[in-house]
Amino acid sequence: MYAEKYRESLSLVEKNREANLAMEPRRMTAEEKETLLASYHPDYKESEFSTLTVGPNKGSKVPHELCDALQAHARISEDSVDLSCPDYDCDVLVIGGGGAGCAAAIEAERAGASVTVVTKLRMGDANTMMAEGGIQAADKPGDSPAIHFVDAFGGGHFAAKRELLAKLVCDAPDAIKWLSDLGVEFDKEADGTMVTTHGGGTSRKRMHAAKDYSGAEIMRTLRDEVLNRPITVVDFTSAIELILDSNGRAAGAVLMNMETEELLVARAKTVIIATGGAGRMHYQGFPTSNHYGATADGLVLGYRAGAALLYAETLQYHPTGAAHPEQIFGALVTEKVRSLGAKLVNRKGEVFMHPLETRDVTAASIIRECRDRDGGLETAGGEAVWLDTPMIEAIGGEGTIEKRIPAMMRMFEKYGIDIRREPILVYPTLHYQNGGLDIEVSGMTPGVENLYVAGEAVGGIHGKNRLMGNSLLDIIVFGRNAGINAAAKAKETEVGELTLSHVTRFEKELESAGIVTDAHSPILLPDYTRKK
């Protein structure tokens, strides 16, 4: 149910629905998109970025909050931890228990390595679990990895590392088969053919899904596979510092029990960072669709050890985060809602853009509509526009919403909103970390030998913007890739003497740069305590 203040606008949306259904909004030109992004997208707001003065990316700009974390003190000193008697000893240490970490662990163990997974919450408490829309793969007639590449390369503003993007799209069909073989229940036609749909910025229907809880279905399957294998899993334990050996190679991590704060040491021949994103940093004050632990830990750990970042100044603000009711403010409203036919409508009942532009363009359009075009409605968290969900059943017939996006229907149903009959209010929400640690095709960082990265902590796969469905894809493709290559590298590695000398070096660099701070990182968990 909507308050009286929304009734006038709702009546205009309902009055114009038939005409809005019939219209085909014009797609923007490349020049229009660039002008729009420069004026309204948060990545272009210069006042919201700081310049790094220490580390491999010295001189580069990053969001203020990330800069503070990257240039903070370590949680430990070089001499505060005894590295001589490790609590865990393995071939491959995986930091992170989400989709990328699990995919890496499965393949590393399958390759014969002894594997330990450490995760600061529970296995599966990750952005993977919260992904809804689907996973891309060019595995249907009339499509190809080459076409997938062109879509993603253009959608990422031609900034992706070509070799990484090429691997992503070429390995995509096998990733779908791998998941299916593990037991993921993708949507299928009666004859067994997988159902595929469009996403924003895609020229072909290549989105594979499991209703609108695709990430949960994938995470369930991967988690169970890890737990059914001889893989050591350490829950509720964070990696707070990487350990290098005397040869400068990644050789483990210092761990902290999240409940007791006891410090532990994990020794490994290779290390995989799969810590996910940074939504809980709430850059520029935006709400987030991310899980509770998304605080950029992997970027901090890698950066302090000497691994460079790529495109760390670029974030993805998902255009449709829930803006009402306030209990779910910022929660993800999957792009699949728009791919099924819902259009974005302003308070006057007017469709103001094509519903399947790329995410950055769509987010910037909504911000413009609210800020400068008097098209938004006031909510408890700010302004918002309508996403006209009843259009879905007008196009696909009664029952389409319950069949294709049941989780979305039930999320709003809890608050008295029937999305089959009423539109919903949306505004951009901080969703994805486009930038991250720079890697080679093998998954290893150029700056730190034996340190691999997979998933959202990687920069460069998607360029400066990501298309829907390519994140669930990259955690599988690059998770598996990191696991296979880290296991192979472990076989030829003899670990030298363990050391935390890089912590001391970084502290001296902070001092030399004149940085005075009381902050320590990684942050680990967001702080939501009330401030006086």
Side-chain angles (χ1 to χ4, degrees):
M1 296 290 291
Y2 287 100
E4 187 63 33
K5 66 178 180 177
Y6 298 126
R7 287 294 154 189
E8 181 182 355
S9 180
L10 274 169
S11 67
L12 292 173
V13 175
E14 291 164 0
K15 177 183 176 181
N16 294 338
R17 182 169 295 135
E18 188 173 344
N20 286 340
L21 273 166
M23 74 175 294
E24 181 64 27
R26 181 180 67 84
R27 285 190 180 272
M28 296 182 198
T29 66
E31 292 75 18
E32 287 173 329
K33 290 178 184 180
E34 288 304 317
T35 300
L36 173 72
L37 292 171
S39 301
Y40 294 97
H41 195 277
D43 281 357
Y44 294 77
K45 198 172 181 180
E46 291 292 335
S47 62
E48 296 295 331
F49 295 85
S50 298
T51 300
L52 291 166
T53 55
V54 299
N57 290 83
K58 182 178 179 180
S60 299
K61 67 174 186 177
V62 295
H64 297 316
E65 299 86 346
L66 181 58
C67 185
D68 291 344
L70 292 172
Q71 298 187 157
H73 300 295
R75 288 177 170 269
I76 55 173
S77 66
E78 180 179 354
D79 301 322
S80 62
V81 182
D82 182 4
L83 304 179
S84 63
C85 297
D87 300 276
Y88 301 96
D89 205 340
C90 59
D91 294 328
V92 179
L93 174 66
V94 180
I95 303 172
C102 286
I106 291 165
E107 290 290 19
E109 192 280 329
R110 182 178 285 177
S114 61
V115 181
T116 295
V117 178
V118 56
T119 177
K120 69 179 174 185
L121 299 175
R122 299 168 300 180
M123 286 288 290
D125 280 338
N127 284 345
T128 303
M129 187 71 185
M130 305 172 81
E132 297 169 347
I135 175 171
Q136 285 201 53
D139 58 0
K140 291 284 187 73
D143 199 2
S144 69
I147 299 172
H148 188 178
F149 181 98
V150 170
D151 287 349
F153 196 50
H157 301 285
F158 308 100
K161 291 182 73 170
R162 288 172 179 264
E163 63 273 25
L164 299 185
L165 183 55
K167 182 166 185 62
L168 180 78
V169 300
C170 289
D171 287 7
D174 186 58
I176 296 293
K177 183 180 185 303
W178 185 76
L179 288 171
S180 186
D181 289 345
L182 285 178
V184 172
E185 295 286 347
F186 288 111
D187 295 339
K188 297 176 182 175
E189 304 288 2
D191 64 359
T193 303
M194 287 195 186
V195 175
T196 52
T197 58
H198 273 299
T202 64
S203 61
R204 301 289 188 277
K205 291 182 178 181
R206 67 173 73 95
M207 202 70 56
H208 302 65
K211 303 291 189 291
D212 58 346
Y213 42 80
S214 304
E217 171 63 10
I218 289 171
M219 192 68 251
R220 172 195 68 80
T221 305
L222 294 177
R223 179 198 62 200
D224 289 352
E225 186 68 18
V226 169
L227 296 178
N228 286 330
R229 288 176 173 271
I231 294 170
T232 301
V233 176
V234 188
D235 284 325
F236 298 111
T237 302
S238 292
I240 61 169
E241 199 64 51
L242 291 179
I243 297 170
L244 305 182
D245 71 4
S246 51
N247 298 305
R249 302 173 300 193
V254 177
L255 314 177
M256 185 181 77
N257 182 292
M258 293 295 288
E259 182 177 8
T260 66
E261 298 190 358
E262 175 190 9
L263 297 182
L264 304 163
V265 173
R267 178 182 182 271
K269 295 178 179 178
T270 56
V271 178
I272 300 173
I273 288 177
T275 52
R280 291 289 167 170
M281 304 282 274
H282 292 289
Y283 298 134
Q284 301 190 34
F286 272 80
T288 186
S289 64
N290 284 190
H291 81 105
Y292 195 62
T295 50
D297 297 356
L299 306 196
V300 171
L301 294 177
Y303 193 73
R304 197 147 53 217
L309 302 171
L310 183 63
Y311 303 144
E313 77 282 7
T314 65
L315 287 302
Q316 183 166 91
Y317 297 81
H318 195 291
T320 54
H324 177 84
E326 60 184 312
Q327 294 96 321
I328 54 171
F329 184 55
L332 182 64
V333 175
T334 172
E335 192 168 309
K336 191 173 183 179
V337 176
R338 285 177 284 132
S339 71
L340 290 172
K343 292 178 181 176
L344 290 158
V345 180
N346 63 23
R347 69 178 183 87
K348 303 166 192 172
E350 303 164 340
V351 171
F352 58 90
M353 66 167 298
H354 194 286
L356 289 179
E357 294 282 10
T358 56
R359 286 179 171 178
D360 55 350
V361 169
T362 307
S365 294
I366 293 172
I367 292 170
R368 177 177 65 180
E369 195 68 20
C370 293
R371 185 184 299 169
D372 286 350
R373 292 188 170 181
D374 192 30
L377 293 103
E378 197 65 40
T379 71
E383 289 195 290
V385 297
W386 296 109
L387 182 57
D388 197 4
T389 49
M391 285 185 169
I392 295 172
E393 304 222 326
I395 295 169
E398 187 175 349
T400 301
I401 285 177
E402 186 165 13
K403 179 182 179 182
R404 302 295 297 276
I405 48 172
M408 194 60 46
M409 184 182 82
R410 293 186 181 104
M411 180 171 76
F412 282 93
E413 200 171 50
K414 290 178 184 177
Y415 304 101
I417 298 171
D418 185 348
I419 68 172
R420 296 169 296 186
R421 295 172 177 82
E422 297 176 295
I424 56 179
L425 287 163
V426 295
Y427 192 78
T429 185
L430 184 52
H431 182 60
Y432 189 83
Q433 180 176 279
N434 284 324
L437 294 165
D438 187 19
I439 63 167
E440 299 166 337
V441 175
S442 66
M444 188 160 60
T445 63
V448 182
E449 189 178 351
N450 288 10
L451 178 63
Y452 294 78
V453 192
E456 197 172 341
V458 174
I461 298 173
H462 310 287
K464 296 185 177 182
N465 180 60
R466 177 181 62 77
L467 298 188
M468 172 191 180
N470 279 348
S471 61
L472 284 178
L473 177 59
D474 93 48
I475 65 172
I476 303 304
V477 169
F478 286 94
R480 294 179 68 195
N481 179 63
I484 292 166
N485 289 321
K489 193 70 161 60
K491 290 178 181 178
E492 61 184 50
T493 297
E494 289 293 331
V495 180
E497 182 182 356
L498 302 185
T499 174
L500 290 169
S501 59
H502 68 281
V503 174
T504 300
R505 287 197 300 273
F506 195 81
E507 287 292 330
K508 288 180 179 177
E509 196 174 349
L510 291 176
E511 185 179 352
S512 296
I515 295 173
V516 178
T517 177
D518 294 326
H520 292 77
S521 65
I523 294 170
L524 304 182
L525 294 174
D527 181 7
Y528 291 120
T529 55
R530 290 183 181 274
K531 303 296 190 295
K532 292 183 178 180

